[in-house]
Amino acid sequence: MNAAEDSRLLLAPDTVVVSAGRPAREHDAPVNPPIVLSSTYVGTGTVVDGDRAYGRYSNPSWDPFEQALAQLEGAELPALLYASGLAAVSSALSLVPAGGTLVMPRHSYQGALVMASELAQRGALILKTVDIADTEAVEAVLAEGQVSMLWLESPTNPMLEIADVPRLAGAARAAGALVVADNTFSTPLVQRPLEAGADVVLHSVTKYLAGHSDVVLGALVTSNAELRAELLHHRSIHGGIAGPFEAWLALRGLRTLALRIERSQASAAELALRLQQHPQVDGVRYPGLATDPGHDRAKAQMDGFGSILGIEVAGGQVAAEKVVEALQLWVPATSLGGVESLIERRRRHANEPASVPANFLRLSVGIENVEDLWADLRQALDAL
Ligand SMILES: *Cc1c(COP(=O)(O)O)cnc(C)c1O
């Protein structure tokens, strides 16, 4: 038996990322799972539940990652891998019944908000957006009744607001609403929403879990067998499945997750402090800063503060654009969670909510030497 699957061994998460999803220990067995390239599987007689049957229903290349992620999130059932984070969002939103109400943070991941608004526009659901950091306001919306799903993202993308995850999950449950938590920013090493009462956890595996900006994938995790069956059915019928090579790359990336997070979190904390002192920076958003409005809440419910931070550049949009152009090491690109540090002015996207300031830069801190990262930021800010 694989050591990580032996429940008698209670392994720490930084061990699980390395040991989970390995092939059985047999003489001459490979240490890593193989990539299985097959669109169909041999079978005769009636197809029964659990048969591989066809490549859109299952692939052995997905299983190791699905087991590893479930173990990390503390789920009792294997995760479900998807073609992208948004394919996972689409599957999760399929749990809202026709005409049901969905409550979402106003600063949710932009693609999830666009999808939800488009579904609302054609009458598939009712969308209510909220300030997710304002617990009483969210509870008031839940108390109005008839809410089918509460969507949680904490920290939010890109404004880094912190939701009171356990309290809101409890309030949603009391109101009969399902809770889906997008845990992309934190990863299960920093935050485990299922333990805090969420029904489903969502990941853009593209980001930290895979970690090398070379693959697009998503995942859902739940311990609820009925919900998992519904989601699996949706994945099989809508077809948003992962490629075998991508699944293999994601597991390969996961092996170093603990080291990457340790390094990038420490660097993000250091950079947040230094940026706060720079005269060309009007404000820093990072839940690890003692002055951040979400700090106490984040401290209570997370094992760390993540590696994403936001700054508002003094001098507005033009100054912020100049900083991005002057950087030499930081890569100007959307996305986050890779080994390389990325920076982006979020409002360059037409769909970004106007409540995100025009001079706001989102920084995804990678694993480079922190002094090099700082020197590059400082020269770009000093040049203003
Ligand atoms: C990137 C992202 C997504 C979407 O994932 P894709 O893999 O790009 O489809 C969803 N949620 C968050 C928080 C993200 O950062």
Side-chain angles (χ1 to χ4, degrees):
M1 177 179 248
N2 182 331
E5 284 159 22
D6 184 345
S7 55
R8 286 169 302 172
L9 278 183
L10 280 176
L11 300 174
D14 50 349
T15 301
V16 173
V17 295
V18 177
S19 65
R22 300 269 179 199
R25 287 171 181 236
E26 287 160 7
H27 182 68
D28 275 349
V31 168
N32 291 306
I35 298 174
V36 177
L37 297 173
S38 189
S39 63
T40 190
Y41 305 93
V42 177
T44 53
T46 310
V47 176
V48 297
D49 267 0
D51 280 0
R52 292 219 175 266
Y54 183 57
R56 190 167 13 81
Y57 308 151
S58 73
N59 187 301
S61 310
W62 305 341
D63 303 351
F65 184 87
E66 293 183 337
Q67 284 161 14
L69 182 57
Q71 204 174 333
L72 289 167
E73 288 287 4
E76 283 152 28
L77 301 166
L80 293 165
L81 202 51
Y82 287 83
S84 65
L86 272 190
V89 170
S90 171
S91 216
L93 289 182
S94 77
L95 298 174
V96 178
T101 298
L102 166 69
V103 177
M104 249 189 184
R106 69 190 163 117
H107 292 137
S108 298
Y109 177 72
Q110 189 207 56
L113 268 179
V114 169
M115 193 186 300
S117 337
E118 289 180 4
L119 287 169
Q121 270 159 28
R122 45 183 162 92
L125 51 77
I126 295 163
L127 173 64
K128 292 184 179 170
T129 56
V130 290
D131 173 358
I132 205 69
D134 186 345
T135 307
E136 281 80 24
V138 182
E139 282 177 334
V141 173
L142 288 167
E144 284 165 20
Q146 315 262 315
V147 175
S148 304
M149 180 179 286
L150 171 65
W151 195 269
L152 289 179
E153 209 181 293
S154 180
T156 57
N157 184 0
M159 297 307 285
L160 298 156
E161 297 133 326
I162 304 292
D164 187 333
V165 176
R167 185 159 149 194
L168 289 179
R173 187 161 293 234
L178 283 175
V179 179
V180 176
D182 185 333
N183 204 25
T184 301
F185 265 37
S186 298
T187 86
L189 296 187
V190 175
Q191 173 169 264
R192 283 162 302 282
L194 292 181
E195 287 170 8
D199 297 288
V200 179
V201 164
L202 184 144
H203 282 281
S204 169
V205 177
T206 313
K207 314 292 168 55
Y208 288 101
L209 298 181
H212 295 72
S213 306
D214 52 9
V215 67
V216 174
L217 279 177
L220 294 177
V221 198
T222 180
S223 288
N224 180 320
E226 253 172 67
L227 289 181
R228 188 179 184 279
E230 273 188 65
L231 295 168
L232 172 59
H233 177 78
H234 185 274
R235 184 181 71 174
S236 300
I237 293 307
H238 289 251
I241 59 161
F245 184 55
E246 284 75 5
W248 184 90
L249 271 178
L251 186 68
R252 153 105 170 206
L254 190 74
R255 298 303 187 207
T256 55
L257 180 67
L259 286 175
R260 288 186 281 111
I261 295 270
E262 192 182 317
R263 171 69 166 242
S264 61
Q265 279 200 141
S267 298
E270 183 60 32
L271 293 175
L273 286 172
R274 294 190 194 183
L275 284 162
Q276 216 177 18
Q277 304 299 320
H278 198 285
Q280 292 304 128
V281 175
D282 269 352
V284 178
R285 287 168 200 252
Y286 182 63
L289 289 172
T291 49
D292 192 88
H295 179 70
D296 291 342
R297 213 177 255 172
K299 204 171 166 186
Q301 67 192 25
M302 295 163 78
D303 298 327
F305 303 102
S307 324
I308 310 284
L309 50 100
I311 59 171
E312 284 180 56
V313 179
Q317 173 176 340
V318 174
E321 284 170 343
K322 274 193 192 153
V323 168
V324 173
E325 279 161 29
L327 289 165
Q328 293 163 25
L329 177 60
W330 289 76
V331 182
T334 198
S335 198
L336 55 102
V339 290
E340 65 292 298
S341 295
L342 301 182
I343 188 162
E344 180 180 41
R345 193 180 72 83
R346 285 298 302 173
R347 284 282 296 284
R348 79 190 181 96
H349 299 281
N351 285 329
E352 195 72 0
S355 47
V356 175
N359 63 341
F360 180 87
L361 300 179
R362 185 184 68 191
L363 287 75
S364 169
V365 180
I367 63 169
E368 304 91 336
N369 183 293
V370 67
E371 296 303 335
D372 290 337
L373 290 174
W374 171 242
D376 195 27
L377 285 171
R378 197 184 49 195
Q379 65 79 19
L381 287 163
D382 285 352
L384 285 177

